[in-house]
Amino acid sequence: MALKTLVIGNGSCAFDIVDNLLSKNVEVIIATRDNSLHQKFSEIMGQNITEIHTETTIHSCTGAIGNFTISMKNNNKSIIRIVDCIVIAEDSFRKTLFASYGLSPSTKTISLSDLDNPENYKNIADENKSFVLLKGLKFESNPVISKEVMDSSIKLASHGQSKIYILTKNLKVAGNRLEALYRKAKKAGIIFIKFTDSEPEFFQGEDGKTCIEFTDEVTKKNFSLTPDITVVDESIVPSDYLETLAKTFGLNIDCSGFLQSDNVHRLPAYTNRKGIFVAGPSRGISSPEDYKAEAGTAAIAVLNNSDKNNYDIKDKAYINKGGCVRCLTCYRICPHKTISLNSTLSVMPEGCEGCGLCTAECPKNAITIENLDHKFLIPDDKIQNADSASKPRITAFCCSRSAAEAYKLAVSIGLTLPEGLKIVEVPCAGSISLTHILNSLKNSTGGTIILTCHEGNCFSEKGNVFAHNRAKSVSKMISDAGYKKERLMTYTIASNMGKEFSNILNDFEKNIIDLE
Amino acid sequence: MTEADKRVNLDQLDHDSCRSWDYSQDFCVTCGICSSMCPVSGIDDFDPRKLVRMISLGMENEAVDSRWPWICTMCGKCEASCPMEIKISSIVRKIRSLRERDEVPGILHKGLETALKTGNNLGLPKEDFEFILEDVAEEIAEEPSFENFTVEIDKKGANILTTIHNKLVNTHTDDLKHWWKIFHAAGEDWTVPSENWEGTNWGLFTGDDEAMKKMSGRIVDHMKNLGAKNLLWPE
Ligand code: SF4
Ligand code: SF4
Ligand code: SF4
Ligand code: SF4
């Protein structure tokens, strides 16, 4: 059966994704808030786009990869569809920055989009002689905007205009081909005026023209500019729809509101939820070429799920219905949104990452992950053996994505580690429960150390934070009980920090020995 | 006059006025490396970056009227360090060349004028020059193992013809002795012209190509007329 995919979006990137998927015989459903489909789609109309829903918003989404149930709303009409995967590629928006410069839009003071608008371009370029383009003077501008500003200026120059000024703060040219573009602009006679310690002043006349006064930072001379046209730069912001989509799908957003958290473990196209992908202008700000590449990546990510027999459903969480009291803790905290809420709660294994956050947090211990729990049950006899060693026994809980890798690195490059070290590798530090920590303290002669990913870098978003909070509460508990809280420590580490791993463990051992 | 009155309306300037100058000035990224290398940066607020900037903005007249280009020593350190390979000392020279000749700073202007008229920057008459050379030669001849030292002026067909820097026959005659002694010890066949012997060429510093050509032409003439085989032009 063909893979069925819902694509949410109505711009070039969404189009590229649909085009890619159709060429691989994926059944595509398009849902867009807009009232008509972007004209690009007309090229592939009539091919096998299964369905197109304009003026349609997403109301809810249940299920997991391979079996999402989507409920959509089209003017009060409800549409229900079942799909395998979902791709979000909503266009971002341009925000004009007139207000930040204290200017108002007019025929003489226009935005970057106004200048680039093919309908007006010829008139603007023909009828005016001098142009000032403002770039990143109030807000650091993205290289995409820098490129547009330089491209537009070069276009004006090739139109025969000779007085073109770019007023800019930082002009970062590290991006793809930007330095060459900068040289090209210089060659075309465009004059760059850079501001590092000062800012120009803006005055707008009755006629809408902008006059600019400044001190050139190089020559220290005072200048004024009264260009025929002042072009104000823009910033790029995520679609306002993304916030709603993030809530509906349970997706994490980054600090600017794009649909993929700032997390080293999130590869392009992937979200915190299996089977839901994000691309292009919904994921961040990039050049049109990069968006095109991302559309391809998203299509490949979808196609990787063609064979349902390959879905990873081993070692996933399982809720023991008898034990569950429906407190909904697991449902709320599951970072990968794969616990379904019906008459009973159950884990949809296709979407489960086996992180163990739910197992550690369930107040009734009603959730288990095969091959996970017994890893923590350190048999007593083994510990007795270890006790015969002269050095204190140290249990290190290591997140598989960071600390366990750092440990392997430390071993492979031959760094010293404590003699009595016992490594307990866990899928995510969030799976380390209070019981685990207390058991470990009870069974270890020396101490317990928890090593997690750095903050903001947890594959399960907050697993590390959970681990640190639990350790904090145990720490208080044991010190209230008169036990040395130095026997329980937490650290964050990254997979490439073998040396630091060895240092942390050796220092920990030394401190434990000093306690005795 | 207030600050505002002094404000230059940038879009009224002719940015193209210096565009034909082939020194890559438009590629300046205003990094300031040149200014940090320049030994005279800071004197009267001068630094090479400012000049480059003025030229790329088309402020030709202002640059020509300014004292800045004349502060530069033409050492070329700026140019050697510029990441954009801008020919900064050529820019300086070009600006200097655009000044009315009688407004070129006094000492350079006078020296060059004198050299063009008399054959050397000092205006030293031929007899005085020959007297000084022979006097120096006599002093050398008084030293042990240089007893038979002489200077042969305007000798035809010598192996080396050498020019003279005016200070060597003015305040630094001792410096003349050093290399004359080397000639003698090496058994070299050498000569000095009695006229137009000036080795310095201040047309370089004033940006005066015509003067440079004339001064160099005189030396070429010596080589031809005296039939010297090699030229020593110690500048
Ligand atoms: S956390 Fe445990 S008790 Fe609470 S709903 Fe989930 S499985 Fe049931
Ligand atoms: S193991 Fe992790 S992903 Fe799986 S159900 Fe529990 S919290 Fe969700
Ligand atoms: S050539 Fe002139 S401007 Fe350049 S470093 Fe030397 S003195 Fe400074
Ligand atoms: S070093 Fe070159 S690029 Fe840098 S400021 Fe000087 S002239 Fe301009």
Side-chain angles (χ1 to χ4, degrees):
Chain A
M1 218 180 74
L3 202 58
K4 209 177 224 181
T5 297
L6 169 71
V7 175
I8 303 168
N10 190 17
S12 299
C13 185
F15 167 80
D16 287 333
I17 294 165
V18 171
D19 198 26
N20 281 322
L21 291 176
L22 288 180
S23 71
K24 295 288 176 195
N25 299 321
V26 175
E27 282 182 36
V28 179
I29 302 175
I30 300 170
T32 166
R33 257 194 331 179
D34 302 336
N35 55 16
S36 66
L37 205 57
H38 192 278
Q39 46 138 347
K40 278 201 103 176
F41 282 93
S42 61
E43 299 167 24
I44 50 169
M45 284 301 209
Q47 292 185 38
N48 43 353
I49 304 181
T50 323
E51 291 172 36
I52 297 163
H53 300 284
T54 53
E55 285 178 279
T56 301
T57 53
I58 309 298
H59 183 244
S60 73
C61 167
T62 56
I65 180 167
N67 189 23
F68 286 114
T69 304
I70 314 285
S71 142
M72 299 181 274
K73 278 248 153 74
N74 166 303
N75 299 316
N76 289 331
K77 207 169 75 222
S78 154
I79 306 165
I80 312 268
R81 291 292 178 273
I82 294 178
V83 296
D84 299 302
C85 294
I86 299 159
V87 186
I88 302 170
E90 276 291 331
D91 263 348
S92 49
F93 284 113
R94 291 301 183 98
K95 209 173 98 192
T96 59
L97 296 174
F98 291 109
S100 65
Y101 291 98
L103 298 172
S104 323
S106 74
T107 50
K108 299 288 164 198
T109 301
I110 63 175
S111 73
L112 193 55
S113 301
D114 293 338
L115 176 64
D116 289 339
N117 183 344
E119 279 173 32
N120 316 332
Y121 184 80
K122 211 173 133 36
N123 283 346
I124 297 176
D126 282 347
E127 286 165 18
N128 299 286
K129 294 257 153 325
S130 54
F131 295 80
V132 164
L133 292 93
L134 309 177
K135 191 202 82 63
L137 292 165
K138 296 293 177 182
F139 297 99
E140 171 99 43
S141 49
N142 189 281
V144 171
I145 296 288
S146 307
K147 181 174 178 293
E148 281 186 27
V149 168
M150 288 195 275
D151 274 337
S152 304
S153 310
I154 293 169
K155 197 166 155 200
L156 284 170
S158 65
H159 205 88
Q161 299 301 344
S162 63
K163 303 241 164 172
I164 305 163
Y165 308 85
I166 295 179
L167 272 55
T168 173
K169 265 230 162 95
N170 280 330
L171 184 74
K172 293 182 182 165
V173 291
N176 221 354
R177 294 194 293 276
L178 281 187
E179 190 174 343
L181 192 63
Y182 171 67
R183 283 189 182 238
K184 196 171 162 195
K186 286 254 171 180
K187 203 164 187 175
I190 288 146
I191 292 179
F192 287 79
I193 302 160
K194 263 196 287 187
F195 294 88
T196 311
D197 315 314
S198 60
E199 265 186 30
E201 283 184 78
F202 300 93
F203 308 92
Q204 197 168 18
E206 295 281 299
D207 56 356
K209 260 198 184 185
T210 298
C211 169
I212 302 154
E213 289 188 355
F214 62 95
T215 304
D216 179 54
E217 291 183 9
V218 176
T219 56
K220 303 279 184 288
K221 293 193 185 300
N222 294 327
F223 287 112
S224 64
L225 274 169
T226 316
D228 296 333
I229 297 283
T230 300
V231 182
V232 178
D233 57 344
E234 294 167 328
S235 62
I236 301 173
V237 293
S239 158
D240 58 336
Y241 190 24
L242 291 191
E243 203 183 327
T244 320
L245 291 175
K247 272 201 196 111
T248 312
F249 290 111
L251 303 178
N252 299 114
I253 54 175
D254 71 6
C255 58
S256 350
F258 287 101
L259 260 188
Q260 195 190 43
S261 52
D262 300 307
N263 183 324
V264 286
H265 297 297
R266 292 282 170 269
L267 299 175
Y270 287 82
T271 66
N272 53 305
R273 199 164 171 188
K274 273 194 200 171
I276 304 186
F277 305 101
V278 58
S282 285
R283 186 174 162 253
I285 308 169
S286 284
S287 64
E289 302 84 62
D290 287 345
Y291 283 165
K292 213 172 174 67
E294 280 191 28
T297 310
I300 291 170
V302 169
L303 290 166
N304 280 344
N305 298 297
S306 306
D307 188 352
K308 290 194 184 175
N309 296 324
N310 283 346
Y311 285 7
D312 170 22
I313 48 168
K314 270 210 236 61
D315 296 345
K316 301 305 177 194
Y318 173 78
I319 298 179
N320 171 1
K321 311 241 150 38
C324 170
V325 295
R326 287 179 65 86
C327 71
L328 303 191
T329 303
C330 55
Y331 179 76
R332 278 186 291 107
I333 67 163
C334 173
H336 306 290
K337 299 292 159 211
T338 193
I339 295 182
S340 74
L341 178 60
N342 289 314
S343 54
T344 55
L345 282 111
S346 59
V347 174
M348 299 173 283
E350 297 82 2
C352 174
E353 298 277 6
C355 65
L357 259 66
C358 56
T359 61
E361 205 64 17
C362 172
K364 300 300 289 177
N365 287 329
I367 315 180
T368 49
I369 295 182
E370 210 182 326
N371 293 327
L372 174 63
D373 290 32
H374 61 252
K375 269 197 205 159
F376 296 148
L377 301 175
I378 308 154
D380 279 2
D381 56 325
K382 280 222 180 107
I383 288 161
Q384 300 311 325
N385 288 344
D387 275 345
S388 60
S390 57
K391 292 293 172 81
R393 168 153 204 113
I394 290 168
T395 305
F397 286 101
C398 295
C399 166
S400 61
R401 291 179 202 271
S402 51
E405 291 301 318
Y407 162 70
K408 285 173 206 157
L409 180 60
V411 171
S412 74
I413 58 178
L415 299 174
T416 38
L417 289 166
E419 248 174 60
L421 178 63
K422 153 103 185 155
I423 300 285
V424 179
E425 184 175 332
V426 294
C428 167
S431 67
I432 308 163
S433 68
L434 286 181
T435 322
H436 293 135
I437 302 173
L438 288 169
N439 272 345
S440 168
L441 285 171
K442 190 176 87 193
N443 292 339
S444 303
T445 58
T448 296
I449 185 163
I450 296 174
L451 295 132
T452 74
C453 295
H454 292 313
E455 193 163 345
N457 279 350
C458 170
F459 180 81
S460 296
E461 299 292 343
K462 289 261 179 312
N464 50 358
V465 178
F466 275 76
H468 286 264
N469 287 346
R470 280 184 207 124
K472 225 185 264 167
S473 68
V474 173
S475 187
K476 183 165 184 322
M477 242 188 265
I478 59 176
S479 66
D480 286 351
Y483 190 78
K484 291 253 171 11
K485 66 176 195 303
E486 288 79 6
R487 290 191 187 274
L488 173 63
M489 296 301 286
T490 51
Y491 287 93
T492 67
I493 200 161
S495 57
N496 60 352
M497 293 167 68
K499 179 89 184 96
E500 289 79 358
F501 185 91
S502 150
N503 290 347
I504 290 170
L505 268 294
N506 291 328
D507 289 350
F508 184 59
E509 181 189 44
K510 194 175 156 290
N511 291 342
I512 297 289
I513 293 171
D514 290 349
L515 284 180
E516 279 156 13
Chain B
M1 211 161 71
T2 66
E3 273 301 298
D5 293 331
K6 277 193 279 173
R7 203 172 277 286
V8 178
N9 200 333
L10 191 57
D11 42 22
Q12 301 302 317
L13 278 178
D14 176 12
H15 303 312
D16 289 333
S17 79
C18 305
R19 280 236 161 98
S20 60
W21 298 18
D22 189 19
Y23 309 127
S24 321
Q25 67 275 5
D26 287 342
F27 289 105
C28 173
V29 294
T30 64
C31 67
I33 295 175
C34 54
S35 304
S36 65
M37 296 303 283
C38 172
V40 294
S41 262
I43 296 182
D44 276 3
D45 259 356
F46 164 72
D47 71 62
R49 178 172 74 159
K50 285 183 184 159
L51 269 191
V52 174
R53 178 76 172 159
M54 285 167 77
I55 293 310
S56 63
L57 291 179
M59 300 172 77
E60 179 184 331
N61 295 340
E62 203 157 329
V64 171
D65 292 344
S66 152
R67 216 177 90 73
W68 287 347
W70 301 96
I71 294 172
C72 165
T73 66
M74 301 283 259
C75 68
K77 281 180 80 180
C78 51
E79 193 167 314
S81 58
C82 171
M84 305 307 283
E85 298 180 5
I86 293 164
K87 303 195 184 75
I88 305 169
S89 41
S90 302
I91 291 175
V92 172
R93 190 164 179 273
K94 174 79 177 178
I95 301 171
R96 289 184 182 185
S97 76
L98 294 173
R99 245 201 207 189
E100 290 299 328
R101 287 299 90 183
D102 52 3
E103 281 174 29
V104 166
I107 196 169
L108 283 172
H109 181 59
K110 230 172 89 201
L112 185 58
E113 290 282 284
T114 310
L116 289 172
K117 238 185 266 153
T118 68
N120 67 81
N121 289 11
L122 302 170
L124 194 68
K126 185 176 170 183
E127 313 77 64
D128 293 5
F129 175 69
E130 288 179 347
F131 176 79
I132 292 169
L133 292 197
E134 269 148 23
D135 195 38
V136 172
E138 274 165 35
E139 280 179 31
I140 294 176
E142 281 166 22
E143 294 184 30
S145 75
F146 289 97
E147 287 77 8
N148 52 358
F149 183 89
T150 55
V151 52
E152 291 188 60
I153 301 170
D154 287 338
K155 181 182 176 190
K156 290 222 175 213
N159 186 39
I160 291 179
L161 177 132
T162 167
T163 63
I164 305 260
H165 184 298
N166 57 70
K167 79 177 173 214
L168 298 183
V169 288
N170 184 12
T171 50
H172 289 64
T173 47
D174 269 355
D175 289 349
L176 206 50
K177 289 182 186 170
H178 303 312
W179 37 287
W180 280 10
K181 283 180 177 175
I182 296 172
F183 288 159
H184 183 77
E188 194 51 84
D189 175 18
W190 62 286
T191 187
V192 184
S194 59
E195 281 176 301
N196 294 340
W197 42 264
E198 180 66 83
T200 65
N201 197 335
W202 283 1
L204 173 74
F205 300 115
T206 64
D208 189 338
D209 285 346
E210 274 312 306
M212 265 189 101
K213 225 190 246 166
K214 191 159 182 197
M215 298 288 288
S216 309
R218 288 169 174 175
I219 293 168
V220 174
D221 288 346
H222 287 318
M223 293 300 286
K224 279 193 193 143
N225 298 341
L226 294 175
K229 295 190 187 66
N230 295 294
L231 172 66
L232 184 71
W233 194 347
E235 267 314 301

